Structure formats: structure tokens, C-alpha cells
Amino acid sequence: MIQQKAASRRVLIVAVVLAGIVITVGFGLARRVDLVSTDQGEQWLEDEHRYLIAQIDLLEIQWEQALEEAADFELEASKRERGEAAREVLGLRQVSYFGKRGEAHELVEFPLQGPAPLEPSLLSGELVLTNEEVFSSHNPIWIDDAGRPLMYRKADAHGSAVVFILNKKIARGVVLGELKSLMRTVPRVVPAGGLLEFSGDSGKVWLSRGDADCKSRPADETLRHYSRFGEWPIRYWRPRKEVVSYEASVLGGMSLVALLILVGGYWADREQARALKLAAQRVSFVNSVSHEFRTPLTNILLTTELAQEDSREPKAERRLALILDEGRRLSRMVDNVLSYARAERGKLQLGQVREVKLAEFLESCLQQFEILFARKGITCELDVSGDERVEIEVDFLSQIVLNLLSNIEKYAGDGAVAKVEAVAGKTLRITVSDNGVGIPAELKFRIFDAFERGGDSVTSTSSGTGLGLAISRELARSMGGDLQLKNSTNGAVFLLEIPLF
Ligand code: ADP
């Protein structure tokens, strides 16, 4: 196609689309999803913890009171009554009694709560208590070290002492039971989506409130309390929600890239528009100049033809013939340039369809080349068959045929033999062939491109614009037909086909 449709705005559209893609990708890259805690004030948690501590402390105090009362009773009790009060106290497994008899102490041990074997015993020496631990003061003391059972000791003013060996687990079990029922309503306010857990020192959970899914992540808060009964941790998982944020630096960077693409696109679009405008101005200039050439050229040709008819002088006649040939060559060139300019502007329109006698028409075309062909020793045969008359856009047809004949004159070479065969039926078929150098197969399609001249050897040896074939094909197509270069091993063969009405 000669006419190059302006790719108007295409660059800008591509730039806008690209910028859009960059921005979209930018948003994707900059997007961050964070799990943010929705519960920041944990006053309620502290309150729950304090409540738990208070309950445990209370139970511990009660336990200590019970132990002290039992110890006082044991210190006072007669042999027969021993162990009676102690039996009532939680977790108390064994009583060791240091009675004062003269200077020496008598150690009596007796187990409590069932026939279980004695806890590590003072008597058998499994447990060793120092004098200080047993008799240091009257006040009750706790002996709570690693490697020894928990012990509670109380002495009296007379030098007697009682040591309770306690089992923490049993005491703790009972405390846990108490706490469970006490804290059944606790916590009163675990926020939705959060989780609160009370567990023992073994890690076993004894109270859990809230969303169990939270346990897939570590707890946000761990509050601990230590008492005689062991460790009492509370774990809390805050409720979380997804918060989407965008990283400003990534977004900024990508926006900058998008902006650059847009600016670049806008600039390229403007440049393209300018280039297109310039091209259009050139075409318009070429068009008007060619147009201006045409009228004087037609007048010159007509006047020359008249002068030739009037002339009796053979020398003058030859000169006039030369003027006529060159004038026609110029006229063909102007016609081609004009058609090119029209095609570029999309204004190549069919002129008037006229009826012509085909043989006469082709003969008159050939006649224009009579002298030119003769000068180069080129012979051209005309063979017309089929309908005598055809209705056709004569100006277009003659422009095509004259271009093909002109090419024979220019490229077929001296002494070439050419042939024009025309068959008119439903379609007009005109084959223009010669036995000259021909056209290489690789140029078969390119040869119809505007300004394509078939290589350097052609450019340097003959004049031309490279528009003839391009325009001829364009004209043929505008008539609903086509012009093709046929495969040939001998010279160039062009086939022009035009449907007839
Ligand atoms: P121009 O004649 O101005 O160069 P055309 O479009 O008419 O432009 O032809 C394009 C090219 O095709 C020519 O330059 C030439 O190389 C080749 N050509 C056309 N006709 C013939 C032919 N009959 N024999 C050999 N080469 C040809």
C-alpha cells in the first residue's frame, strides 16, 4: 500500500496502557498485608490476672492457717491424738515429731492419708534436716528447695518441733478444683477473635476461652504467678485483623516510571503528529506542484502535436517528435506523482468510465513509444482478442499500460522483443512481456513498493522514481483488479486484470 495510514495517537494509547500496567504492578508490589492487633488496652487482662492471683493467695493463706493450726495441735497433742488434726489438711502426707525428753530429742514419724509408703523419711535418713532448720525459731517456716519435698516446720517454746512433709501435687490438685469452679465465669470479656488460656506448670491447659485458631501463633502476652502450689501462667492471644498498606517508596518509584512513560509517550505522539503533518504538507506540496505542471505540459504536448502535423520540414519534424516524446515522459512522471499524492491522502477515486475500442486504445498507447522503441531496436507485438469494446476508466488504464511500456523501453535493453496481449471478456486481461533482463524472483513483491527501484545497478543506469509499478498496481486495485509480476525465465511478464461491467 502506498498510503500509509497515520498511526494517529497509537503511541499515546500504548504509553497510557503501559503506564496503567506499571501502576497496577506497582500497587501489587507495594501492597502489604499486616495482621494488626485490634485490642491494645489490656486492662481487663491485668484484672483477670489479679483476680487469679488473689484467689490463689487466698487459698494459700487458708492452707497455711490450716497447717499452723494442725502444727499447734500436734505440738500440744498426746501420743494418742497425734496426726488427728494433720489428717484434715490438704496435701499433708507425713508428720515428723521431735519431742523433748530430757536433753535428747525423740523423732516419731507417722504417715497420713492412706497406706501409701512413707514419703522420704527423716528417720531412715533419706531426708536430712539441720538443727537450725528444725529448731531455729518458734515461728513456722517453709522448707522449699529443689531435691526435697515441700516441708512446713513449727517449734514450740519447750524445744519440741513438728515437720510436715507435704505433697504439692495433691494440694495443687485441690486448689485447681477450687479455682476452676471459682473462675468458671472468668474471663468475662475476652474480645472476639482473641484467646485466653490458664494452664498449669506442666503446660496442661485447665481453662480456655476464645478463638482456638489463635494457637497457630505464639501468645502475645504471658503473665505468670508463682505460689506454694507451683506456677500459674495466663496466656493471651490478641484478636487480629488484616490491615492493607502500601509502601510509599515502591508506589512512588512505580508512579515515577509510569509518569516517565506517559511523558515519553506524549512527546513521541507529538513528534509523530508533527512528522505526519509535515509529510502531509509535503504530499500536498507535491500534489499542487504536479498539478501546476500538468496544464502547461498538456498545452505543450498538444501544440507540439499540431506543429508536427503542420510541419513540412523533416528536420523540424524529428525535433518536434523528440519534444513530444520527452514531453510525454514528463507527463507520465507528473501523472504518477499526482496519483501517488492522491493515494497518500486517500483520494484516489475512479474517474469517468468510458467505452473504448480495446485494440485502438492499445495501439495508440504503443504509438507513443514508436520512436523510443525504434531508437533502441525494440519490437513490440500487439495481440487483442475477445470483446472489441470495453467500458473502463480509460485514464487509469492508459496510465498503467504506459508505465509498463515505459519500463520496457527503460529496462528490457536494446533489441528486446516485447508483446502486449489483451483478452476482454468478463475480465480484461492484459499481459505485457519482454525478453529483457527480467526481475529477480526475490523482488517479486517488493518491486510494487513505492520508491523501490530494483537495486543499485538499476538506479545507476536508468532514471526513474520507483513509483510507476506501485501506482499502477494501486490504480488497478482501485478498479477492482490487480497487477502482478508473473514468474518467468525469460524477461519480465506483467499481468493486469480488471473486472469489466
Ligand atoms: P522506475 O521505473 O521509476 O524505477 P517502477 O516502479 O516503474 O519505477 O519500476 C520499479 C523497478 O522495477 C525498476 O526500477 C526496475 O528495476 C524494475 N522493472 C520494472 N519493469 C521492468 C522490466 N520490464 N524489466 C526489468 N526490470 C523492470
Side-chain angles (χ1 to χ4, degrees):
M1 271 304 270
I2 290 175
Q3 188 188 352
Q4 299 193 341
K5 294 243 159 50
S8 146
R9 312 264 88 141
R10 199 176 295 162
V11 180
L12 194 63
I13 292 168
V14 169
V16 169
V17 171
L18 261 180
I21 292 172
V22 169
I23 288 285
T24 314
V25 170
F27 266 100
L29 290 178
R31 191 170 189 267
R32 262 186 38 197
V33 180
D34 292 313
L35 277 178
V36 174
S37 164
T38 53
D39 173 31
Q40 295 301 337
E42 276 111 21
Q43 187 52 49
W44 66 271
L45 179 63
E46 279 175 28
D47 293 347
E48 298 302 349
H49 191 224
R50 217 171 290 129
Y51 181 69
L52 177 78
I53 293 169
Q55 296 310 320
I56 294 168
D57 286 353
L58 193 69
L59 288 167
E60 200 177 313
I61 289 166
Q62 286 171 355
W63 194 45
E64 265 184 53
Q65 277 172 358
L67 283 170
E68 193 168 359
E69 277 169 24
D72 289 342
F73 178 84
E74 291 301 330
L75 288 169
E76 302 271 308
S78 64
K79 224 174 196 175
R80 204 163 34 82
E81 293 166 327
R82 272 184 203 152
E84 244 170 50
R87 226 178 292 276
E88 305 299 318
V89 184
L90 276 179
L92 214 167
R93 299 300 309 277
Q94 184 175 314
V95 179
S96 301
Y97 176 76
F98 295 84
K100 184 94 170 153
R101 185 179 273 192
E103 286 303 304
H105 278 101
E106 175 206 20
L107 175 59
V108 183
E109 276 182 346
F110 46 97
L112 298 171
Q113 294 167 2
L118 288 179
E119 296 285 328
S121 150
L122 287 161
L123 259 183
S124 62
E126 286 163 285
L127 274 179
V128 179
L129 291 180
T130 60
N131 265 347
E132 203 181 331
E133 280 174 324
V134 181
F135 301 110
S136 59
S137 74
H138 304 158
N139 295 333
I141 58 161
W142 285 96
I143 302 165
D144 190 3
D145 327 309
R148 290 198 290 188
L150 179 64
M151 288 176 273
Y152 179 89
R153 188 284 284 149
K154 192 164 188 207
D156 65 9
H158 316 294
S160 299
V162 65
V163 176
F164 292 158
I165 298 183
L166 300 148
N167 186 314
K168 244 193 225 183
K169 263 193 191 155
I170 295 172
R172 183 187 169 82
V174 178
V175 169
L176 205 55
E178 286 283 313
L179 284 176
K180 273 183 189 170
S181 64
L182 264 173
M183 299 190 77
R184 200 162 288 143
T185 54
V186 173
R188 285 158 285 270
V189 276
V190 177
L195 174 69
L196 189 72
E197 267 188 10
F198 296 85
S199 52
D201 38 9
S202 64
K204 200 169 165 213
V205 178
W206 57 269
L207 195 84
S208 174
R209 292 271 188 280
D211 183 358
D213 290 347
C214 293
K215 287 196 87 169
S216 55
R217 53 187 161 92
D220 297 306
E221 292 282 343
T222 303
L223 305 176
R224 291 174 198 279
H225 174 61
Y226 300 92
S227 80
R228 292 270 170 241
F229 306 117
E231 187 188 341
W232 302 92
I234 294 182
R235 287 195 181 80
Y236 175 53
W237 287 261
R238 290 195 194 102
R240 305 229 168 145
K241 68 166 186 196
E242 278 191 0
V243 173
V244 177
S245 61
Y246 293 91
E247 220 156 294
S249 57
V250 178
L251 213 54
M254 292 307 250
S255 305
L256 199 68
V257 173
L259 191 70
L260 283 177
I261 291 174
L262 278 180
V263 171
Y266 175 69
W267 178 81
D269 181 72
R270 260 187 43 182
E271 284 301 302
Q272 192 188 39
R274 224 180 16 217
L276 285 173
K277 198 174 161 196
L278 212 64
Q281 280 170 343
R282 276 193 203 126
V283 169
S284 151
F285 170 74
V286 169
N287 183 50
S288 35
V289 169
S290 314
H291 211 78
E292 292 303 316
F293 276 146
R294 209 183 194 188
T295 323
L297 206 52
T298 314
N299 289 338
I300 290 169
L301 288 176
L302 274 175
T303 318
T304 313
E305 272 171 22
L306 289 174
Q308 207 182 23
E309 278 170 23
D310 294 345
S311 166
R312 301 278 168 266
E313 274 285 312
K315 208 173 167 186
E317 224 176 291
R318 275 204 310 278
R319 286 183 178 155
L320 286 169
L322 188 72
I323 294 173
L324 208 57
D325 284 341
E326 292 308 312
R328 281 178 184 144
R329 188 197 297 278
L330 200 58
S331 174
R332 280 196 303 275
M333 208 183 288
V334 168
D335 281 348
N336 282 342
V337 172
L338 260 177
S339 300
Y340 172 72
R342 283 186 188 138
E344 276 291 276
R345 291 183 301 154
K347 289 191 174 167
L348 195 64
Q349 279 161 0
L350 276 183
Q352 210 172 4
V353 173
R354 278 188 290 137
E355 189 186 86
V356 284
K357 288 182 177 167
L358 191 58
E360 263 179 35
F361 165 78
L362 290 172
E363 259 163 32
S364 79
C365 291
L366 273 172
Q367 222 175 356
Q368 294 191 25
F369 287 88
E370 212 178 347
I371 298 172
L372 291 171
F373 279 180
R375 210 177 285 154
K376 290 193 169 178
I378 298 172
T379 54
C380 187
E381 199 185 309
L382 178 62
D383 183 357
V384 183
S385 60
D387 297 344
E388 196 190 335
R389 293 162 188 275
V390 292
E391 278 195 8
I392 202 155
E393 218 288 20
V394 188
D395 291 340
F396 279 14
L397 182 65
S398 86
Q399 199 174 334
I400 299 170
V401 173
L402 293 177
N403 275 334
L404 295 174
L405 291 175
S406 166
N407 281 349
I408 290 178
E409 192 262 326
K410 283 198 283 184
Y411 307 115
D414 289 357
V417 178
K419 194 170 182 182
V420 177
E421 290 170 272
V423 187
K426 276 190 170 174
T427 303
L428 171 63
R429 281 195 183 82
I430 301 178
T431 311
V432 180
S433 57
D434 64 63
N435 64 346
V437 288
I439 297 168
E442 67 268 19
L443 293 180
K444 191 173 172 184
F445 298 105
R446 246 174 55 202
I447 210 77
F448 290 101
D449 289 347
F451 309 112
E452 177 62 54
R453 294 217 59 222
D456 293 342
S457 58
V458 175
T459 335
S460 55
T461 52
S462 65
S463 65
T465 55
L467 283 178
L469 287 180
I471 282 300
S472 297
R473 192 173 70 170
E474 198 66 21
L475 292 171
R477 287 185 176 174
S478 72
M479 289 190 281
D482 205 359
L483 175 66
Q484 297 166 54
L485 175 68
K486 303 305 282 182
N487 294 336
S488 164
T489 49
N490 183 25
V493 181
F494 287 95
L495 172 64
L496 171 67
E497 288 179 302
I498 294 162
L500 295 172
F501 308 98

